[in-house]
Amino acid sequence: MSNIVIIGAQWGDEGKGKVIDVYSRKVDMIARYQGGNNAGHTVVIGKDRFILHLIPSGILHKGKMCVIGNGVVVDPKALLEEIKMLQSRGIDVDGRLFVSEEAHIILPYHWKLDGIKEEKKGRIGTTKKGIGPCYADKVARNGIRAVDLLNRDVLRQKLQSNLDEKNAIFSKIYGVEGFGFDALYKEYLGYGERIKKYICNTTVLLNGAIKKRKKILFEGAQGTLLDVDHGTYPFVTSSNSTAGGASTGTGVGPNKIDKVIGVVKAYTTRVGEGPFPTEFGPDLMERIRQKGKEFGATTGRPRRCGWFDSVVVGHAVMVNGIDEIVITKLDVLDDLETIKICISYKYNGGVHKHFPADMQAQAGAEPVYEELPGWKADTTGITTYSKLPKNAKNYLKRIQYILNTKIVLISVGSDRKQTFPKY
Ligand code: GDP
Ligand code: IMO
Ligand code: MG
């Protein structure tokens, strides 16, 4: 097995950053394929804690090549800040960070539109990083791409026509001020100059590497239920965070991908609005939020928490073709007397094993639970599967059985080292 995709199987923040860091040792290149700096991927190495938003989590491994693929939306300002942060902590990216010339660029009018829509229209609870409006421009064929920042004429023409349209929307629909051309043109030409050394044809780079039998890890951002097609639409992000996105978001054929690994939190969390059938009541919510430090890595917002939902993860196994599962944050359940697993939903007068598409059914879905005894023991220092308490093993076995998918790795703490294989 050489090329793997690692994706989130719930609503994001499953611990992908940690898992990708662990798997990065075994590969040559790590490629992000969708999303943008709405992602927040945490990697903890001893006392050092890194949060990556745009640059692949593999960057912390010396010598590994990192690619930001064509499917990613790139905020050049955020990219430069992240590069600076890494350099200030002794991690050099030059010569091993590559940004697709086809990646679309997030501009200030995208942030502004994202913010206004959040305030004036129905709330999604976005990160307000301009992700949705940037992808909307891409699909509407108005987008400005990384390569355009390197061509004064193309940038002038595209920026002018975008500003004509966006400024009319700002003034006529929302009654707010728009953006002047000159300052923005100068600023983004400047970013072009500064990121020029990273911009290249990453499709050729990746396919060339595959020909030479190099191993690629495709890093998913967000999670399956936030996928624009397969998630809880419209409470989703604006890209394909599922495994299929790895192919379209990098220009690597699906037949070159050998394995899909799903990262699954031992319970469930979600940030932002939208249906969440297994959401806890207030007491348990606060307890697990504190124990699991469930606050957004990008926005700092408190995450909503709930029981493990096998309807959600079963859906993820199906739409991603998950071969293997990594379970994270098992330790967060250490103190509980009993633990619930959602095995199906009641909606539309019946009991169902599949996630409904209808918004009202999603919002009203009532979880059907089975209950297992907790293990009431600290698992954070455990380094082998055999040492896990019996009830923790039973919990994992039950999840594996319900999902009919192998659990291969277990994580019991945020550090790189707090990870061990299931067998
Ligand atoms: P990502 O977006 O999927 O990369 O996840 P985030 O980094 O946004 O959130 C996961 C959080 O859980 C981070 O703070 C991690 O350091 C932390 N974490 C990861 N794995 C574990 C684990 O097994 N146990 C505990 N207690 N924390 C973990
Ligand atoms: P990682 O990669 C969790 C959520 C937002 C909001 C919705 C749309 O760290 O798992 P957007 O700004 O993308 O238009 O917001 O998606 N969201 C995430 N939730 N983890 C993420 O990324 C997320 N990225 C976006 O909270 O509900
Ligand atoms: Mg995150």
Side-chain angles (χ1 to χ4, degrees):
M1 282 292 163
S2 47
N3 303 322
I4 55 175
V5 189
I6 298 188
I7 51 93
Q10 291 145 321
W11 275 285
D13 303 327
E14 296 90 349
K16 297 177 294 296
K18 170 180 169 163
V19 173
I20 286 157
D21 171 68
V22 168
Y23 277 87
S24 290
R25 275 192 299 121
K26 306 179 188 170
V27 302
D28 301 290
M29 298 173 88
I30 302 95
R32 275 280 305 268
Y33 59 86
Q34 46 71 235
N37 59 325
N38 49 349
H41 296 176
T42 314
V43 182
V44 178
I45 311 163
K47 288 201 173 82
D48 288 322
R49 185 166 182 265
F50 295 86
I51 299 177
L52 284 315
H53 299 288
L54 201 46
I55 296 178
S57 306
I59 199 77
L60 303 175
H61 289 264
K62 263 201 180 130
K64 304 288 175 185
M65 310 247 277
C66 288
V67 170
I68 294 178
N70 57 275
V72 177
V73 285
V74 175
D75 181 333
K77 208 170 162 190
L79 176 64
L80 286 163
E81 274 164 22
E82 201 161 315
I83 292 171
K84 199 167 138 202
M85 178 278 288
L86 287 170
Q87 280 169 344
S88 74
R89 299 180 69 177
I91 291 143
D92 205 11
V93 306
D94 285 7
R96 61 192 189 97
L97 176 66
F98 306 90
V99 177
S100 167
E101 53 193 2
E102 294 175 327
H104 281 249
I105 298 293
I106 300 178
L107 285 111
Y109 48 77
H110 295 131
W111 307 329
K112 189 156 178 156
L113 274 172
D114 201 354
I116 290 176
K117 284 193 174 167
E118 278 295 296
E119 273 147 39
K120 304 208 172 182
K121 294 210 164 175
R123 268 174 57 82
I124 302 286
T126 76
T127 59
K128 300 189 186 169
K129 302 286 183 192
I131 307 293
C134 183
Y135 276 117
D137 274 354
K138 171 179 175 173
V139 177
R141 293 161 293 187
N142 299 325
I144 292 177
R145 302 188 298 173
V147 69
D148 301 331
L149 298 181
L150 311 181
N151 184 322
R152 302 181 74 87
D153 298 333
V154 173
L155 182 64
R156 180 183 299 108
Q157 178 261 316
K158 280 195 170 187
L159 186 62
Q160 191 63 70
S161 93
N162 270 293
L163 281 182
D164 289 347
E165 192 192 7
K166 298 292 188 289
N167 283 343
I169 293 173
F170 285 128
S171 64
K172 293 187 182 143
I173 299 182
Y174 299 120
V176 297
E177 227 177 288
F179 293 86
F181 173 81
D182 290 341
L184 217 52
Y185 180 57
K186 204 168 146 215
E187 186 181 350
Y188 280 76
L189 271 180
Y191 292 140
E193 268 305 307
R194 292 172 65 193
I195 63 172
K196 194 158 108 188
K197 60 181 169 188
Y198 307 113
I199 298 175
C200 67
N201 185 333
T202 52
T203 301
V204 169
L205 181 76
L206 286 165
N207 283 286
I210 291 170
K211 267 210 175 112
K212 288 187 200 143
R213 301 199 168 276
K214 300 277 184 211
K215 295 175 182 168
I216 321 283
L217 188 166
F218 297 90
E219 170 171 354
Q222 288 81 55
T224 302
L225 277 290
L226 289 172
D227 181 286
V228 69
D229 283 283
H230 301 292
T232 43
Y233 191 89
F235 299 98
V236 292
T237 192
S238 302
S239 64
N240 285 117
S241 46
T242 44
S247 186
T248 52
T250 58
V252 169
N255 58 343
K256 302 287 190 299
I257 295 169
D258 304 297
K259 195 192 273 187
V260 180
I261 296 175
V263 184
V264 176
K265 207 177 265 192
Y267 48 101
T268 314
T269 61
R270 140 160 243 181
V271 205
E273 307 300 312
F276 184 173
T278 64
E279 190 164 14
F280 291 139
D283 291 350
L284 211 43
M285 174 83 79
E286 206 40 42
R287 198 168 148 195
I288 295 296
R289 183 180 284 153
Q290 293 306 330
K291 173 107 175 147
K293 300 196 177 72
E294 294 295 358
F295 297 89
T298 296
T299 58
R301 289 178 292 175
R303 294 175 182 149
R304 299 157 64 191
C305 306
W307 294 117
F308 183 87
D309 186 338
S310 66
V311 178
V312 161
V313 184
H315 176 69
V317 167
M318 177 172 68
V319 300
N320 293 287
I322 293 177
D323 297 298
E324 296 176 352
I325 284 176
V326 177
I327 295 276
T328 61
K329 305 193 86 157
L330 186 68
D331 55 296
V332 176
L333 305 180
D334 281 353
D335 306 334
L336 298 177
E337 295 282 341
T338 52
I339 303 180
K340 289 184 185 178
I341 298 179
C342 167
I343 48 164
S344 54
Y345 296 155
K346 283 186 191 160
Y347 58 81
N348 294 346
V351 178
H352 307 268
K353 293 251 180 229
H354 292 290
F355 214 90
D358 177 63
M359 275 176 78
Q360 269 181 351
Q362 284 181 5
E366 196 188 313
V368 178
Y369 289 114
E370 57 181 46
E371 213 167 281
L372 279 76
W375 45 94
K376 301 278 282 170
D378 181 5
T379 58
T380 56
I382 289 178
T383 51
T384 53
Y385 179 74
S386 60
K387 297 261 162 64
L388 273 180
K390 187 167 145 272
N391 286 350
K393 283 186 194 158
N394 285 343
Y395 182 62
L396 296 173
K397 279 185 199 154
R398 188 68 192 139
I399 287 174
Q400 182 168 273
Y401 178 81
I402 295 168
L403 299 173
N404 192 23
T405 309
K406 250 193 319 193
I407 296 174
V408 291
L409 207 65
I410 295 151
S411 170
V412 288
S414 54
D415 196 87
R416 241 182 208 177
K417 291 193 187 131
Q418 291 171 296
T419 324
F420 51 86
K422 168 119 192 294
Y423 298 106

